[in-house]
Amino acid sequence: MKEIIFEEGFILNVFSTISRCILSFLIALVASFILGIISYTSNIFKNFLMPITSLARSIPNMVLIVLTLIWFNKESAPYIVVFIMVFPVLYDAVLGSINNIDKSILEMANLYKVRKIDKILKIYLPAIKFSLISILSSTISLAFKIVIAGEVYGQPLYGIGAMIQNEKVNFNTRAIFAWIIIIVIISSLLNLIEKLLLRRAFLWRR
């Protein structure tokens, strides 16, 4: 681990993997937010997306990574794979949170003629926020693992997965175990950040 951490490209490799994870996750988050709202307002659109999200959930990660590497370049493959695997989870959370809003609250808002913008800000957005934050840890961890798997197969110029693949080619088992420990540490830090966000989001429960 000491040798790996003090290598010249260590920070760049870690930063490349984390940036791929965060960027692809944010793209999936924005897409799920927009498409989830559209699906709530349009049954036709919801029925159109249903088989697509079901198919995305059923495809094994490794098969998807191989197909993505065939169709796209190795730099963009991790982003695409993470989006396809994470989007259905976030989309279901957004759509489910809107559908599960207490109907009596919506009826009361309509009765007192609450403005649409106020209903969106005070009823819909909080419901979506709490639903997404509750699955934040599992989805980010999933995205992080998929990015590394995509890097192992795709071998981009920089990335944790690319370094693991290099050590595998050289039969350097010690370095692979060292990278595993580093991955666990990074995952723990991501989980810690997620817990801090949960505390802030659910401050009203204290």
Side-chain angles (χ1 to χ4, degrees), residues 25-108:
F25 178 83
L26 289 177
I27 294 172
L29 181 63
V30 172
S32 63
F33 186 84
I34 296 172
L35 297 181
I37 293 174
I38 296 174
S39 296
Y40 176 73
T41 58
S42 171
N43 284 328
I44 296 175
F45 190 79
K46 182 175 69 173
N47 293 331
F48 171 75
L49 280 183
M50 190 179 300
I52 298 176
T53 55
S54 299
L55 180 63
R57 280 191 292 265
S58 62
I59 300 176
N61 293 352
M62 292 301 103
V63 174
L64 185 59
I65 291 171
V66 172
L67 288 174
T68 306
L69 289 171
I70 293 173
W71 292 334
F72 304 95
N73 62 64
K74 62 184 180 180
E75 293 292 337
S76 59
Y79 297 98
I80 297 169
V81 174
V82 169
F83 177 86
I84 294 174
M85 298 305 299
V86 171
F87 169 76
V89 179
L90 298 175
Y91 169 80
D92 288 343
V94 172
L95 185 59
S97 64
I98 300 175
N99 287 328
N100 291 330
I101 294 176
D102 192 344
K103 302 302 180 185
S104 60
I105 295 177
L106 297 177
E107 290 174 0
M108 183 179 65

Side-chain angles (χ1 to χ4, degrees), residues 92-148:
D92 288 343
V94 172
L95 185 59
S97 64
I98 300 175
N99 287 328
N100 291 330
I101 294 176
D102 192 344
K103 302 302 180 185
S104 60
I105 295 177
L106 297 177
E107 290 174 0
M108 183 179 65
N110 292 330
L111 179 65
Y112 286 96
K113 298 180 180 179
V114 177
R115 296 183 304 169
K116 286 185 178 181
I117 186 65
D118 289 330
K119 286 196 287 186
I120 292 172
L121 294 177
K122 303 296 184 181
I123 299 176
Y124 290 103
L125 285 184
I128 295 173
K129 182 182 76 171
F130 293 137
S131 178
L132 288 176
I133 289 179
S134 64
I135 63 168
L136 192 65
S137 177
S138 59
T139 48
I140 289 181
S141 297
L142 176 63
F144 187 60
K145 294 172 186 175
I146 294 173
V147 164
I148 294 175

Side-chain angles (χ1 to χ4, degrees), residues 13 16-17 20 61-62 64-66 68-69 73-79 81-82 143-170 175-177 179-180 183:
N13 286 317
S16 297
T17 298
R20 288 188 184 105
N61 293 352
M62 292 301 103
L64 185 59
I65 291 171
V66 172
T68 306
L69 289 171
N73 62 64
K74 62 184 180 180
E75 293 292 337
S76 59
Y79 297 98
V81 174
V82 169
F144 187 60
K145 294 172 186 175
I146 294 173
V147 164
I148 294 175
E151 291 173 345
V152 169
Y153 280 85
Q155 297 184 51
L157 187 58
Y158 296 103
I160 294 175
M163 295 302 102
I164 292 175
Q165 179 65 15
N166 289 339
E167 303 300 349
K168 174 195 168 187
V169 172
N170 296 323
I176 293 175
F177 276 109
W179 274 113
I180 290 173
I183 291 170

Side-chain angles (χ1 to χ4, degrees), residues 164-205:
I164 292 175
Q165 179 65 15
N166 289 339
E167 303 300 349
K168 174 195 168 187
V169 172
N170 296 323
F171 298 100
N172 192 349
T173 308
R174 289 169 55 247
I176 293 175
F177 276 109
W179 274 113
I180 290 173
I181 296 173
I182 292 170
I183 291 170
V184 170
I185 293 172
I186 295 173
S187 296
S188 300
L189 291 175
L190 291 175
N191 288 333
L192 179 61
I193 294 171
E194 182 264 341
K195 287 180 180 178
L196 293 175
L197 290 174
L198 276 177
R199 280 187 190 175
R200 187 174 182 83
F202 293 99
L203 189 65
W204 55 275
R205 284 189 174 181

